[in-house]
Amino acid sequence: MEQWHGTTILGVRKDGRTVIAGDGQVSMGNTVMKPNAKKVRRLGRDGQVIGGFAGATADAFTLFERLEKKLEASQGQLLRAAVELAKDWRTDKYLRNLEAMMIVADAEVMLVITGNGDVLEPEGGIAAIGSGGLYALSAAKALADYEGDPEKLARRAMAIAAEVCVFTNDRLTVETVG
């Protein structure tokens, strides 16, 4: 059975602001199934955490729900909630079969949570995941010294990724925190 894919998620943290941008494309094989999916959203009761996902959609929503529960239990402390989610991901047989990755951020930290249950804080404040992630990451790193506004930087890097990656489009969802 062919896998649904075609996601590009980019996180940029600069000057106390963090932006997560995601394209809208969902592909199955070489076919675009949906051009305007929303893969970036606000999390938690107060919406002070933003996140974007790549991978299987149902799996990602399961992880978002679990992360929101962990955020509630840790009084909104993202790092603590992410580590607790990663612990569960590594030990729970059901969660280990989930195929998704996330970039999540609050006002203090941006993290990548991998399908292996790893929690990574990206060096240099730029992270990307998904099929077009390396294109967006490369573009963002190249633009970082020339663009001070993290949202403009993220939008331009995503536009570049959409130009060169067939699994990335220019229909963005962008959330900012900080």
Side-chain angles (χ1 to χ4, degrees), residues 25-45:
Q25 185 161 307
V26 176
S27 303
M28 183 178 201
N30 293 327
T31 304
V32 175
M33 300 301 288
K34 184 173 183 173
N36 61 345
K38 187 176 178 186
K39 303 171 214 167
V40 176
R41 63 184 237 189
R42 291 195 169 273
L43 302 169
R45 187 176 300 153

Side-chain angles (χ1 to χ4, degrees), residues 4 29 35 37 71-72 79 81 85 88 98-99 102 112 118-119 125 134 147 150 153-154 158 160-161 171:
W4 296 77
L71 280 167
E72 216 171 279
L79 185 55
L85 176 64
D88 288 353
L98 298 181
E99 296 180 10
M102 299 187 297
V112 176
D118 297 315
V119 177
L134 290 179
E147 179 55 67
L153 192 157
M158 290 294 287
I160 291 168
R171 297 189 190 181

Side-chain angles (χ1 to χ4, degrees), residues 10-22 38 40-43 46-52 103-110 148-155 173-178:
L10 174 66
V12 178
R13 182 171 179 71
K14 196 168 192 174
D15 298 329
R17 287 182 52 219
T18 303
V19 174
I20 297 179
K38 187 176 178 186
V40 176
R41 63 184 237 189
R42 291 195 169 273
L43 302 169
D46 58 3
Q48 295 301 310
V49 174
I50 55 177
I103 297 176
V104 293
D106 64 10
E108 282 84 43
V109 68
M110 179 171 63
D149 183 283
E151 184 172 342
K152 287 181 182 176
L153 192 157
R155 286 182 182 278
T173 303
V174 178
E175 292 287 350
T176 304
V177 68

Side-chain angles (χ1 to χ4, degrees), residues 15-174:
D15 298 329
R17 287 182 52 219
T18 303
V19 174
I20 297 179
D23 77 324
Q25 185 161 307
V26 176
S27 303
M28 183 178 201
N30 293 327
T31 304
V32 175
M33 300 301 288
K34 184 173 183 173
N36 61 345
K38 187 176 178 186
K39 303 171 214 167
V40 176
R41 63 184 237 189
R42 291 195 169 273
L43 302 169
R45 187 176 300 153
D46 58 3
Q48 295 301 310
V49 174
I50 55 177
F53 71 86
T57 305
D59 292 353
F61 280 114
T62 298
L63 292 171
F64 273 154
E65 288 173 9
R66 298 250 181 157
L67 180 59
E68 285 181 317
K69 287 178 185 171
K70 299 292 183 185
L71 280 167
E72 216 171 279
S74 65
Q75 290 86 35
Q77 295 179 36
L78 177 59
L79 185 55
R80 175 178 278 169
V83 168
E84 290 301 317
L85 176 64
K87 285 180 187 176
D88 288 353
W89 203 338
R90 284 182 175 260
T91 58
D92 185 298
K93 285 183 181 182
Y94 170 74
L95 286 178
R96 272 187 282 175
N97 292 322
L98 298 181
E99 296 180 10
M101 293 180 72
M102 299 187 297
I103 297 176
V104 293
D106 64 10
E108 282 84 43
V109 68
M110 179 171 63
L111 305 167
V112 176
I113 305 174
T114 73
N116 294 325
D118 297 315
V119 177
L120 309 168
E121 188 169 2
E123 184 179 356
I126 299 173
I129 57 175
S131 301
L134 290 179
Y135 299 106
L137 179 68
S138 296
K141 285 183 176 260
L143 294 167
D145 289 339
Y146 306 101
E147 179 55 67
D149 183 283
E151 184 172 342
K152 287 181 182 176
L153 192 157
R155 286 182 182 278
R156 182 65 188 127
M158 290 294 287
I160 291 168
E163 289 175 15
V164 295
C165 178
V166 297
F167 296 111
T168 304
N169 71 15
D170 60 359
R171 297 189 190 181
L172 300 181
T173 303
V174 178

